[in-house]
Amino acid sequence: MIIEMENVSFIREDRVILDRIHWKVQENEQWVILGLNGSGKTSLLNIVLGYEYPSKGEVSVLGHRFGKTNLPELRKHIGFVSSTFERFQPTLESETVEEVVVSGKFASIGLYEPVTDEDQEQAEQWMDLFRIGHLKGKAYRTLSQGEKRKVLLARALMAKPKLLILDEPTVGLDMLTREELLALIKDVIATKICHVLYVTHYVEEIIEEMTHVLLLKDGKIVAAGPKEKLLTDDYLSETFQMVLHVRWEHNRPWISIKNIPTLQRLGK
């Protein structure tokens, strides 16, 4: 079992952020989490990563049950890419591309441990795989947004993780760069390097290789299961709180808005 949550709730300052979550991710499943801002996606990820502890319920990640495992050690088996890495910009901007990539082996932002020749060679292999080998020696701060995301993806795979979490990795990217990044994610899944957990607001980013979806609304699961069964007008309309229509093109779902909520209906 990759992830198992039984009756998990997360409460902060008397506010229920996650409410009785039951969720299992099994071998050979690639999951997408969908939901509006405030639906509980970030809190769910923080629990999976061991940065937050559930208020109630049982959690197991990669066979490690919370309360009986070393969470910092567990995180070394989880790769993580997020647009929120911008908060580490001062550290990242002081490093070269290969230094950022190598740091992924140690699950750290910045290098604080000795780097071997083998580490350097492995970093260069990942850079070549993601078509950023030509960036070797360049300062991270000089890269485009698309190049930075590819570097962070290579960094996340340095430790050969069993689980790769991609938290809105395409935020701020143009359409072409987004599709290039999605193509790299396709390659990662195809090679069966690790399991992927992908978080997004955009249904059209659900590539063919993704197998399952978790729909969240107000801290509760709307539905969880195979994407073909759940990416429907009814489920997505409930999740995103507007009337939506889903169509499939090239094995990817695309949505159109059939009824846009007015300010009056939203209570503004």
Side-chain angles (χ1 to χ4, degrees):
M1 192 72 66
I2 306 304
I3 299 171
E4 186 172 9
M5 294 190 178
E6 292 289 343
N7 199 35
V8 167
S9 294
F10 183 61
I11 303 168
R12 282 294 177 270
E13 299 178 356
D14 297 326
R15 180 184 168 213
V16 179
I17 299 173
L18 293 173
D19 187 11
R20 291 167 291 179
I21 300 294
H22 294 271
W23 181 39
K24 293 182 180 180
V25 176
Q26 303 192 59
E27 294 283 345
N28 301 315
E29 295 178 350
Q30 318 295 338
W31 281 75
V32 177
I33 300 178
L34 289 171
L36 294 171
N37 288 337
S39 62
K41 300 190 303 298
T42 298
S43 295
L44 191 67
L45 288 188
N46 284 338
I47 290 175
V48 172
L49 286 161
Y51 290 127
E52 297 283 6
Y53 209 85
S55 305
K56 300 177 182 177
E58 299 290 332
V59 178
S60 177
V61 177
L62 301 175
H64 298 269
R65 186 163 295 278
F66 284 25
K68 298 181 179 180
T69 192
N70 184 317
L71 293 178
E73 284 299 314
L74 171 63
R75 282 195 287 273
K76 291 182 180 180
H77 300 286
I78 303 175
F80 185 46
V81 177
S82 174
S83 57
T84 62
F85 272 23
E86 299 302 319
R87 70 181 186 273
F88 300 114
Q89 206 69 3
T91 301
L92 292 171
E93 289 189 348
S94 67
E95 297 185 320
T96 63
V97 168
E98 56 267 35
E99 286 173 336
V100 174
V101 175
V102 168
S103 70
K105 176 184 177 179
F106 310 105
S108 63
I109 300 296
L111 280 174
Y112 309 101
E113 300 184 45
V115 176
T116 66
D117 291 341
E118 184 180 352
D119 294 336
Q120 291 284 7
E121 183 179 346
Q122 186 180 352
E124 291 177 15
Q125 289 174 351
W126 284 117
M127 290 168 64
D128 289 339
L129 179 65
F130 293 126
R131 299 186 280 279
I132 53 174
H134 62 286
L135 298 177
K136 181 181 178 181
K138 289 186 176 293
Y140 180 83
R141 65 177 177 274
T142 66
L143 306 186
S144 68
Q145 285 299 317
E147 289 170 337
K148 287 179 178 179
R149 297 295 163 80
K150 292 175 185 177
V151 169
L152 293 177
L153 184 57
R155 174 193 174 278
L157 291 167
M158 260 298 291
K160 299 179 181 178
K162 297 177 182 178
L163 175 64
L164 175 63
I165 297 177
L166 303 172
D167 181 19
E168 300 184 28
T170 65
V171 168
L173 302 184
D174 60 44
M175 188 180 300
L176 175 60
T177 307
R178 180 190 73 171
E179 292 302 315
E180 289 176 346
L181 191 66
L182 290 175
L184 290 177
I185 295 168
K186 277 175 172 276
D187 292 342
V188 170
I189 295 174
T191 54
K192 297 183 179 180
I193 298 171
C194 56
H195 291 79
V196 171
L197 178 58
Y198 190 96
V199 181
T200 182
H201 292 108
Y202 304 107
V203 173
E204 64 270 19
E205 292 182 3
I206 301 177
I207 55 180
E208 182 179 0
E209 289 73 12
M210 300 293 184
T211 61
H212 289 66
V213 294
L214 173 68
L215 305 178
L216 277 178
K217 175 186 173 185
D218 298 331
K220 296 181 179 181
I221 293 179
V222 174
K227 65 179 182 182
E228 292 82 4
K229 294 183 178 180
L230 301 188
L231 295 178
T232 65
D233 293 5
D234 289 343
Y235 278 127
L236 290 178
S237 295
E238 181 178 355
T239 301
F240 290 105
Q241 301 177 43
M242 62 179 73
V243 182
L244 302 174
H245 173 65
V246 184
R247 70 184 191 281
W248 290 81
E249 295 181 11
H250 306 295
N251 296 313
R252 281 169 63 178
W254 302 79
I255 60 173
S256 55
I257 302 174
K258 298 183 69 174
N259 187 4
I260 302 175
T262 64
L263 291 179
Q264 184 176 7
R265 288 177 57 204
L266 289 170
K268 302 287 186 177

